[in-house]
Amino acid sequence: MKQLLILLAVSVALAFIADRVPASNPLVKKRVNLPLVLLVIILSFFCGLRTSYNDTGTYIRGFQNAPTLAELWSDPPRLLGNPLFYFFQSFFRHHISPNYHLFFVLIAFFTITSFLRFIRRYTEDFTFSILLFFSLGLYVFNLAATKQCIAMAVLLFAIPPLLKGKYWKFYLIVLIATLFHTYAVMFAVLPLFTKHPWTAITYISVFAVVFVLLTFEESITTFLEQAENLGKNISEEEVFDQNSINPFRLAVFSVPVLLSFIFKKRLNPQMEKRHCLMMNMSILSFLVMSLGIVSAANLFGRCAHYFEIGTVVILPWILRELFERKTANFMICVASVCYIGFFMYDVRNFSDGYSSISLFEFFSTLF
């Protein structure tokens, strides 16, 4: 955990500095934001140089045993079996480098760059959002679920077209992301959530989640049967494993949802389309995570990750809209302490499963 706390402190400091780099003069060459570049490099290498953590061992074995492209095409993965990831893995393994460290590092550079670029573009407070990016588990998730994080990073490129009403481009990007990780298809519902929160579509979503919770076994069994008919196999053991979401975690993710509901009369009139979308994504992440209160904590927790970037972006805006400047800054400091406390609780066993090579060892493997 000590490593992550140091990384968190360095990242927040770099984000603070990066947020204060003067904007480029349009008459001169574009200025490089060095603190931001350094932040991307540090986070990417910490993620990419790992040798163990969560599913890392599975990904290493999958990479080392990746078939050639000819072998892959002889028995191609199903359309709902993440084919684009396995194509990329085989292409990299046999045509770029058999070095799985390089494979992880380059993927990390892509995913981290995509996340930070998105956060910086849409947040009202980059420093606080980076703290949330860590505290809510989105950064650490990059060390665990490579396929899903690639899909999530790709999906972020679909948000600008969606906000501009370019739905064909939005759905094309969603399709590409789905070929990396099937659950990315959930993003297809977002065009329904570009209006203000706590209108009809929000209440319908809440009702649907409550209905599923009350009829969990029947509803999920029907869903599994439909997924199997489409060619996607989801293990029943994974769904009915009796492992439930930690209520403390669910409570943490409920904060922006409750604030947006209690103060909707004040917040909704101030919301632009991007705020509406981010707020709705935050609500969706909470609702999807809520399904894990009965069972399948890992499954629903991972599904919720697709929408959690909304919380990272919208919570700073909520706090700055609800309070005057000085009070808002104080509330953000208080919130930061609380979220750091949650982060320390959430990653308390991180060091037990994480190991990595040094940067020097990485460069040694390249030659």
Side-chain angles (χ1 to χ4, degrees):
M1 185 175 72
K2 181 180 178 181
Q3 293 170 298
L4 275 181
L5 288 177
I6 294 173
L7 188 64
L8 170 62
V10 171
S11 298
V12 170
L14 287 173
F16 180 84
I17 298 170
D19 216 19
R20 283 150 184 80
V21 172
S24 299
N25 188 322
L27 300 178
V28 300
K29 189 175 180 180
K30 187 175 181 179
R31 182 183 287 111
V32 176
N33 192 321
L34 290 178
L36 185 59
V37 172
L38 187 57
L39 178 59
V40 170
I41 291 173
I42 291 173
L43 294 184
S44 299
F45 273 117
F46 186 86
C47 177
L49 297 183
R50 70 192 188 280
T51 55
S52 69
Y53 183 73
N54 201 280
D55 289 342
T56 297
T58 301
Y59 281 108
I60 291 174
R61 290 189 294 273
F63 179 80
Q64 292 173 331
N65 297 316
T68 64
L69 290 179
E71 293 170 334
L72 188 66
W73 288 123
S74 67
D75 185 21
R78 303 182 313 277
L79 190 62
L80 298 181
N82 315 319
L84 204 50
F85 173 79
Y86 292 112
F87 171 82
F88 171 66
Q89 179 177 255
S90 292
F91 178 80
F92 195 101
R93 169 72 174 81
H94 295 283
H95 296 278
I96 298 179
S97 172
N99 188 329
Y100 72 82
H101 294 297
L102 183 61
F103 179 66
F104 282 161
V105 166
L106 292 182
I107 288 175
F109 266 101
F110 169 67
T111 58
I112 297 301
T113 299
S114 178
F115 280 118
L116 297 193
R117 173 180 171 273
F118 181 87
I119 293 170
R120 185 163 171 79
R121 179 173 182 175
Y122 290 106
T123 187
E124 302 290 329
D125 187 331
F126 186 58
T127 307
F128 184 40
S129 284
I130 289 300
L131 187 143
L132 292 173
F133 179 59
F134 269 86
S135 300
L136 297 179
L138 272 175
Y139 173 69
V140 175
F141 194 57
N142 283 268
L143 282 70
T146 301
K147 283 185 293 190
Q148 184 169 342
C149 286
I150 294 175
M152 289 165 61
V154 171
L155 286 172
L156 296 182
F157 289 93
I159 296 298
L162 174 59
L163 292 174
K164 294 176 182 177
K166 297 180 179 179
Y167 298 112
W168 67 269
K169 190 173 183 180
F170 168 78
Y171 281 113
L172 177 61
I173 296 173
V174 170
L175 174 61
I176 294 171
T178 302
L179 296 177
F180 277 104
H181 193 267
T182 311
Y183 298 166
V185 73
M186 293 189 300
F187 238 59
V189 304
L190 282 189
L192 300 174
F193 292 90
T194 56
K195 305 298 181 182
H196 284 93
W198 304 111
T199 50
I201 188 64
T202 309
Y203 292 111
I204 291 172
S205 301
V206 172
F207 174 79
V209 168
V210 172
F211 176 79
V212 171
L213 288 173
L214 294 175
T215 61
F216 188 82
E217 187 169 348
E218 296 85 352
S219 297
I220 298 300
T221 299
T222 301
F223 170 77
L224 293 180
E225 291 172 352
Q226 294 301 319
E228 189 173 354
N229 291 335
L230 293 173
K232 178 64 178 179
N233 295 319
I234 303 174
S235 171
E236 287 195 16
E237 287 75 15
E238 182 182 6
V239 177
F240 301 111
D241 58 7
Q242 303 306 312
N243 292 320
S244 59
I245 288 282
N246 188 327
F248 181 34
R249 182 173 185 82
L250 196 61
V252 168
F253 277 88
S254 73
V255 171
V257 178
L258 292 174
L259 288 175
S260 71
F261 178 74
I262 295 170
F263 298 103
K264 58 180 179 293
K265 290 185 179 179
R266 287 180 57 184
L267 293 174
N268 280 10
Q270 306 303 319
M271 284 188 177
E272 299 175 9
K273 190 174 183 179
R274 61 192 177 97
H275 299 128
C276 295
L277 179 61
M278 298 303 155
M279 190 64 250
N280 281 319
M281 288 175 66
S282 180
I283 294 171
L284 284 172
S285 71
F286 172 74
L287 292 178
V288 172
M289 193 181 299
S290 297
L291 293 172
I293 203 70
V294 175
S295 187
N298 185 59
L299 174 64
F300 291 117
R302 290 198 170 200
C303 288
H305 273 301
Y306 277 105
F307 303 109
E308 286 172 10
I309 195 74
T311 298
V312 171
V313 170
I314 201 61
L315 185 56
W317 179 83
I318 291 175
L319 294 178
R320 294 199 177 278
E321 281 295 321
L322 290 179
F323 302 100
E324 297 294 332
R325 183 177 178 181
K326 289 185 178 180
T327 307
N329 289 335
F330 173 74
M331 293 303 298
I332 286 174
C333 289
V334 172
S336 296
V337 172
C338 295
Y339 278 105
I340 290 172
F342 171 70
F343 178 65
M344 293 175 66
Y345 165 80
D346 199 37
V347 299
R348 60 194 183 280
N349 297 320
F350 176 80
S351 298
D352 296 340
Y354 176 82
S355 62
S356 66
I357 60 172
S358 67
L359 194 59
F360 176 78
E361 290 173 316
F362 168 68
F363 285 115
S364 297
T365 66
L366 299 180
F367 305 102

